[in-house]
Amino acid sequence: VEEVTFRPAEGLIARRIAEEGTSDDDNINNDDNNNNNNTELQKAVHGASGSHIVLPGYYAPNHMGLLDYNTSDGRFLFFLPWQGSVIVGTTDKKCEAETLPYPPEDEIQWMLKECEKYLSHNLKVRRSDVLSAWRGWRPLAADPNAPPGGQVSRDHVISTNPDTGVTFIAGGKWTTWREMAQDVLDKVLSENNEYATEDHDNSKGKSKSSPIPKCNTLHLSLHGGKGWSESLPVQVIQKYGIEQTVAEHLVRTYGGRVWEVVELCRPTGKRWPRHGILLSQHFPYIEAEVRFACREYACTIEDILSRRTRLAFLNRDAAEEVIPRVADIMAEELGWSRKTKAEQIRAAREYLASYGGRIPHEDDLEVRLLTHEDAMDVFRDIDTDGSGFLDQQEIKDMATRLGRPLSEEQLKSLFDTMDKDRNGRIDVEEFIDWYNDGAETIFKGGLQRKMTVGGEKWLTTRKKGGGGSFLG
């Protein structure tokens, strides 16, 4: 099937067939099971997801990151500068692959708490610092044609069905796609005797086999490789009057094809920069990139926001703000009707809603965990006398303010649960432990709902603005 038009590819004749599968292609090995023996074959690919959050760039140096292999639950965690921001991610968990990248709130909370270990004591990461969050799926591949008990691999696996002769490659990742192509082509070519031809040496009356051909991907330049040079951003700036960070981004992204993009730039109407209208004020993506992407088979707003640019991954709110303008440009380029344009906008917003952001999804409030900064904000709101400890009267007063007054019996039971050391007062650590213990109470439910609805702050002794509230 031709992937853009979805028309059948007719008239193809092949000596050998190779197919590739990812984390959604669980039945890739069954697809070529045409031997009619009704044998149930094992899955070639299983899914595993890894969660990621993006924080503001000031949380890490521009050219330095770290890998923590001794986290609280034994998983790896990486903390790296990325596209002007900081990306934090963890190793994957086995699970079924899903279409949308919805990140579990407990994973976000766990990463935030782990991040605090790397920061100065006077710098606390807040829940509202999460600019975007998502899950990515990795295919874990296993060779179903191998003997039972074979292990799954985080690398790619190549195997040939002994009945059909079809070779498939499964697993791998985006960053190794050329290596994958090389490995599978080399395997197919080496197994096909038709490629080993005989050359006759008439002088000696002998024949010899020519070398089996190899994949030549290492000798091929990617699109944009031709015409690239280190001075290319300067050339773009000098010719088109484009802002430096934009020019550098364009050259990194398109290489020598940058001229095709900047030819589509429209004047900004300013003295500087003269060309390159930004999609979003704080990111280097420009409107000309949307036009160029449409001419390179981009058909959806989602594609522009997540793959042709990285805006959805970098900042969900910024991506949502540019949807109307992206829709206008795509409608102009692709001739969308009003109905099509409205449907594209709806689909893009639905897609972005599957990302995490500054405010947890309403469905995730029950798994909301307190970071240290969040805890101090909530704790100070309850600690009306500023003593640094909570007493029974302050707990009772807060319950009343939340609209969930407690009886004397309920108050005593709640306070005893929170007061671990039985000294008649509750410190911050006891408060955090109580909140994060997973047990549901009327008082805790009131805190969760009242202090997170709409992301608004529930403050009594402090004004709005600055610092973090229950949501950071």
Side-chain angles (χ1 to χ4, degrees), residues 204-226:
K204 297 182 179 180
K206 298 179 180 180
S207 64
K208 59 182 180 179
S209 296
S210 62
I212 296 175
K214 295 283 188 179
C215 175
N216 63 347
T217 184
L218 291 179
H219 307 290
L220 298 177
S221 176
L222 294 176
H223 283 297
K226 184 178 180 180

Side-chain angles (χ1 to χ4, degrees), residues 44 59 62 131 137 155 208 218-219 238 249 255 299 330 340 347 361 443:
Y59 276 114
N62 289 333
L131 305 177
W137 273 267
D155 200 352
K208 59 182 180 179
L218 291 179
H219 307 290
Q238 291 178 340
H249 151 70
C299 300
M330 296 189 75
T340 299
H361 290 278
F443 184 66

Side-chain angles (χ1 to χ4, degrees), residues 15-20 28-35 41-42 44 142-147 156-170 183-192:
R15 293 178 179 176
R16 299 294 297 272
I17 297 175
E19 57 182 345
E20 182 272 339
I28 181 173
N29 198 49
N30 287 320
D31 292 340
D32 59 67
N33 185 25
N34 296 321
N35 55 8
L41 301 179
Q42 298 298 314
D143 185 353
N145 299 311
H156 56 273
V157 168
I158 301 173
S159 181
T160 300
N161 187 307
D163 297 314
T164 66
V166 172
T167 298
F168 73 84
I169 180 169
D183 289 351
V184 73
L185 282 175
D186 286 347
K187 179 177 176 63
V188 169
L189 293 173
S190 67
E191 291 179 348
N192 195 332

Side-chain angles (χ1 to χ4, degrees), residues 241-255:
I242 290 176
E243 201 273 325
Q244 181 177 345
T245 57
V246 173
E248 291 172 347
H249 151 70
L250 294 175
V251 171
R252 280 197 308 270
T253 304
Y254 304 99

Side-chain angles (χ1 to χ4, degrees), residues 424-448:
R425 59 185 188 178
I426 300 164
D427 61 26
V428 173
E429 296 305 320
E430 288 176 318
F431 179 74
I432 295 175
D433 289 343
W434 164 79
Y435 188 91
N436 291 337
D437 65 8
E440 295 299 324
T441 67
I442 295 175
F443 184 66
K444 187 185 297 183
L447 287 175
Q448 289 172 332

